[in-house]
Amino acid sequence: MVRVTTSDRRSVLRAGAGLVAGGAFAAACSPFKSPSGAVAPHAPASASASPGPAAPTRAPKAPARPLAAPAPRAFPRQPAQISHGPSGRSRVALTFHGQGEPSVARALLGEAERHGARVTVLAVGSWLDEHPGLARRILDGGHDLGNHTQRHLDINAMPEAEAAAEITGCAERLRRLTGSIGTWFRPSRATRASPLVATLARRAGYPHVLSYDVDSLDFTSPGAAAVARNILGGIRDGSVVSLHFGYADTVAALPAVLDELDRRGLRAVTTTELIG
C-alpha cells in the first residue's frame, strides 16, 4: 500500500502557493467513463470553448539562443500509435500533459530531477504562448518535449483542416522556441488518435502518435494516495503513464511514486529512451 506522507502534503502546499482556489488548474485531457461505462471526453477548460476557428494569437518569439532540441524519430519496429515500450528493460515513461499553473509544472519537474527521473511533456501551444520560458526549462532538465495541439480541444471530432491547424500550430510554436517541432505528438482529449488525426500528425512530421497504457486519473483530483495507487497498480516494465501538470494531487503523489519505482527497480526515463 502506498502512503503519501505529511511531508508530501506539505510539498504540494509549497508548490501550489499563490494559486487561485477554484480556478488554478487547467482542464484535463484524458477521457473518462460515464456511469454506463462508456468512454467520453471530459469537459473543456472553458464552457465557452468550441471547436470553431481559433482566434488569432501571437506566437512566441524565438529565443536569442536556439536550443539544440531533438526532432521526432521513426522507430521501425514500433506501431504508428505507441502505448507501451519494450518490456524486460526495467524502464517506464512518465508523460505529462503540459498545461496549467507554471509553479506546479516547475515543482513536478524539480521533484522528478531530485529522484534522477526524466519525463516527457506534451505541451499545449496556447500554454507555450503564455509561458514560453517553460520550453527551455523542460529541455534543460533533460526531458522530452512534444506537441499536444494548439488549443487542447477534441481534435478527433474536428474537420480535417481544423485538426491539421491544431497540430501544425503547436508544432510551429515549438519550432520557434526550440528549433524543433518536438519529439512526440499526443492528441488532445483522447487516448488515441483517429485515423485522420494520425495521418495529419505524420504529414506534420510526427512518425508516431504517443498514447499510454496507465492512466493516473489525476485530472479527477482523487487525492494524492489515489493517484499513486492508480499508477503503481498498473505500471510494469515498458509502461507509458499519463499524468498532468496543473494538479496539486500529482505534486503530492510523485515522491511516493518515484520512491516505489526505485524499490521495484524501475527507472523513469524519457519516452525516447524507453522506445529507442
Side-chain angles (χ1 to χ4, degrees):
M1 178 178 177
V2 178
R3 297 183 59 192
V4 178
T5 66
T6 301
S7 62
D8 295 333
R9 297 190 184 95
R10 288 174 180 164
S11 69
V12 67
L13 291 175
R14 290 194 299 268
L19 299 182
V20 179
F25 304 127
C29 53
S30 299
F32 65 89
K33 289 188 177 181
S34 68
S36 64
V39 176
H42 51 74
S46 170
S48 62
S50 70
T57 57
R58 179 176 297 177
K61 295 180 180 179
R65 176 174 58 86
L67 294 170
R73 289 174 53 189
F75 297 93
R77 297 184 180 181
Q78 293 297 325
Q81 300 206 47
I82 296 174
S83 60
H84 196 281
S87 58
R89 295 169 63 185
S90 300
R91 295 179 177 182
V92 298
L94 304 180
T95 67
F96 289 84
H97 303 233
Q99 191 179 24
E101 174 60 39
S103 65
V104 177
R106 293 188 182 98
L108 285 163
L109 293 170
E111 191 61 45
E113 290 157 11
R114 279 189 288 276
H115 281 78
R118 296 296 178 263
V119 304
T120 300
V121 180
L122 293 312
V124 175
S126 58
W127 184 68
L128 292 175
D129 288 341
E130 295 176 4
H131 313 291
L134 283 173
R136 184 178 296 277
R137 169 65 184 88
I138 291 163
L139 291 173
D140 283 350
H143 311 289
D144 271 358
L145 178 62
N147 180 331
H148 195 36
T149 76
Q150 175 58 25
R151 294 179 294 161
H152 197 259
L153 302 175
D154 184 0
I155 192 169
N156 284 346
M158 292 179 176
E160 180 174 347
E162 193 173 341
E166 284 294 307
I167 299 171
T168 58
C170 184
E172 178 58 26
R173 280 149 177 80
L174 285 165
R175 193 194 303 276
R176 285 174 178 267
L177 290 169
T178 73
S180 164
I181 64 172
T183 48
W184 299 96
F185 168 74
R186 173 172 286 169
S188 50
R189 301 190 182 279
T191 302
R192 295 178 63 83
S194 68
L196 171 62
V197 170
T199 297
L200 295 174
R202 285 194 299 275
R203 289 178 187 169
Y206 302 96
H208 303 278
V209 172
L210 182 59
S211 184
Y212 48 87
D213 65 302
V214 177
D215 193 343
S216 69
L217 298 176
D218 55 353
F219 65 91
T220 66
S221 297
V227 170
R229 285 195 303 270
N230 291 339
I231 296 169
L232 297 171
I235 201 167
R236 56 187 58 83
D237 288 2
S239 281
V240 178
V241 184
S242 171
L243 299 116
H244 295 76
F245 284 170
Y247 288 85
D249 289 347
T250 315
V251 182
L254 193 59
V257 168
L258 293 171
D259 284 344
E260 179 62 15
L261 292 180
D262 286 344
R263 191 189 70 79
R264 296 183 189 183
L266 293 174
R267 183 182 171 208
V269 298
T270 66
T271 306
T272 301
E273 292 176 280
L274 179 72
I275 304 300

